[in-house]
């Protein structure tokens, strides 16, 4: 009997970091449910890339649309994933949005605050709750080393303040506690939980500030003197899911080229 193909759900998989994660998992032999919020064409491009990277023709990459801030759609997303795969081994909470309008905190709006925290914090918490309750009902069934995997893709903004993105920073800081909570709750299942904190990454979200950050990065703002890439995040998530950190859970792992280290 052959080993089962491991399965994952990656939110926000239509582009950027989510696409990098999905392709990385596909390359490692996972079937991946590709969640997207609204851009189906971009999600289809992600599926094409996953198919090209997949070592097995039996791997599947279904596209599932949902607004993860809305309970009914979040539940439908999870149920659709189980309908496709009949099981779930990995949940990667990657979907996120930036502050609407990027206003100074003296001008920040409740509309932006509610929307950003709904997508970036409430959605991941309660989607993880769905996964956790499912896993708790079927302990010992995950084929991955160390058991089920729960991943939160946060941001350097969890620790470094941006005055024009206050709600975004708050949402990412909140994910740090969410990571600890689920890590402690699921450790004995067994399941492992991790928070990855990317730094300045080359994605669609940062395309508009490329000219601003290029010289800053070249001057050493990022000690490794380069932009991060979706592939960097994909490698990290893939390694974790394949069991590279067997005695760790609830940890924060920075993917920022050394940006977060204090310097004189």
């Amino acid at each position: 009997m052959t080993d089962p193909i491991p399965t994952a759900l990656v939110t926000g998989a239509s582009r950027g970091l989510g696409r990098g994660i999905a392709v990385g998992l596909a390359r490692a032999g996972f079937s991946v449910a590709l969640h997207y919020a609204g851009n189906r064409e971009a999600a289809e491009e992600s599926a094409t890339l996953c198919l090209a990277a997949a070592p097995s023709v039996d791997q599947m990459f279904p596209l599932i649309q949902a607004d993860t801030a809305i309970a009914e759609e979040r539940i439908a997303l999870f149920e659709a994933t189980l309908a496709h795969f009949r099981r779930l081994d990995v949940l990667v909470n990657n979907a996120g949005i930036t502050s609407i309008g990027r206003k100074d905190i003296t001008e920040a709006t409740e509309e932006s605050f509610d929307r950003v925290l709904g997508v970036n914090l409430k959605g991941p918490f309660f989607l993880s709750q769905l996964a956790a309750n499912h896993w708790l009902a079927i302990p010992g069934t995950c084929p991955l080393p160390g058991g089920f995997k729960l991943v939160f893709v946060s941001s350097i903004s969890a620790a470094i303040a941006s005055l024009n993105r206050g709600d975004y920073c708050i949402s990412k800081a909140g994910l740090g506690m969410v990571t600890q909570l689920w890590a402690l709750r699921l450790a004995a299942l067994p399941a492992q939980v991790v928070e990855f904190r990317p730094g300045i990454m080359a994605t669609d979200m940062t395309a508009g500030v490329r000219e601003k950050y290029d010289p800053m990065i070249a001057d050493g703002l990022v000690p490794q003197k380069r932009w991060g890439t979706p592939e960097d995040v994909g490698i990290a998530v893939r390694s974790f899911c394949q069991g590279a950190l067997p005695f760790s859970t609830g940890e924060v792992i920075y993917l920022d080229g050394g940006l977060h280290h204090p310097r004189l």
Side-chain angles (χ1 to χ4, degrees), residues 23 25-30 49-57 59-61:
V23 173
L25 289 173
R27 186 170 288 117
F30 285 72
L49 292 170
C50 287
L51 284 167
S56 171
V57 296
Q59 289 170 248
M60 297 185 293
F61 305 101

Side-chain angles (χ1 to χ4, degrees), residues 46 63 106 137 160 167 234:
S46 292
L63 308 181
T106 61
I160 297 179
D167 43 16

Side-chain angles (χ1 to χ4, degrees), residues 15-213:
R15 56 184 183 152
L17 302 186
R19 177 180 286 180
I21 293 166
V23 173
L25 289 173
R27 186 170 288 117
F30 285 72
S31 285
V32 184
L34 305 171
H35 159 262
Y36 68 101
N39 192 339
R40 185 174 179 86
E41 182 178 355
E44 289 172 347
E45 292 174 2
S46 292
T48 298
L49 292 170
C50 287
L51 284 167
S56 171
V57 296
D58 294 326
Q59 289 170 248
M60 297 185 293
F61 305 101
L63 308 181
I64 310 174
Q65 188 276 332
D67 182 339
T68 55
I70 298 174
E72 294 80 5
E73 296 195 27
R74 205 163 46 236
I75 293 168
L77 167 63
F78 189 77
E79 291 180 345
T81 301
L82 290 182
H84 279 288
F85 297 150
R86 305 301 177 191
R87 41 188 274 269
L88 181 66
D89 303 310
V90 174
L91 169 59
V92 180
N93 289 288
N94 165 78
I97 61 172
T98 192
S99 185
I100 299 171
R102 292 176 177 258
K103 298 178 182 292
D104 183 88
I105 56 173
T106 61
E107 301 174 339
T109 66
E110 290 192 37
E111 176 189 10
S112 177
F113 190 96
D114 291 344
R115 180 60 181 161
V116 170
L117 266 71
V119 174
N120 294 4
L121 186 57
K122 183 176 78 171
F125 178 86
F126 285 105
L127 187 57
S128 298
Q129 183 186 69
L130 292 171
N133 284 326
H134 175 68
W135 293 338
L136 288 165
I138 52 169
T141 61
C142 182
L144 299 175
F148 300 104
K149 312 295 182 193
L150 179 57
V151 177
F152 295 95
V153 180
S154 178
S155 168
I156 190 72
S157 294
I160 297 179
S162 295
L163 294 180
N164 65 340
R165 297 185 301 148
D167 43 16
Y168 180 82
C169 295
I170 291 167
S171 71
K172 295 302 184 178
L175 284 180
M177 179 53 69
V178 171
T179 299
Q180 293 181 58
L181 291 168
W182 285 121
L184 292 172
R185 183 63 181 85
L186 299 175
L189 186 54
Q192 290 178 282
V193 184
V194 72
E195 175 193 354
F196 289 110
R197 287 187 181 174
I200 303 174
M201 313 302 286
T203 67
D204 294 349
M205 187 180 291
T206 57
V209 295
R210 185 98 194 188
E211 291 185 4
K212 171 186 175 181
Y213 279 104

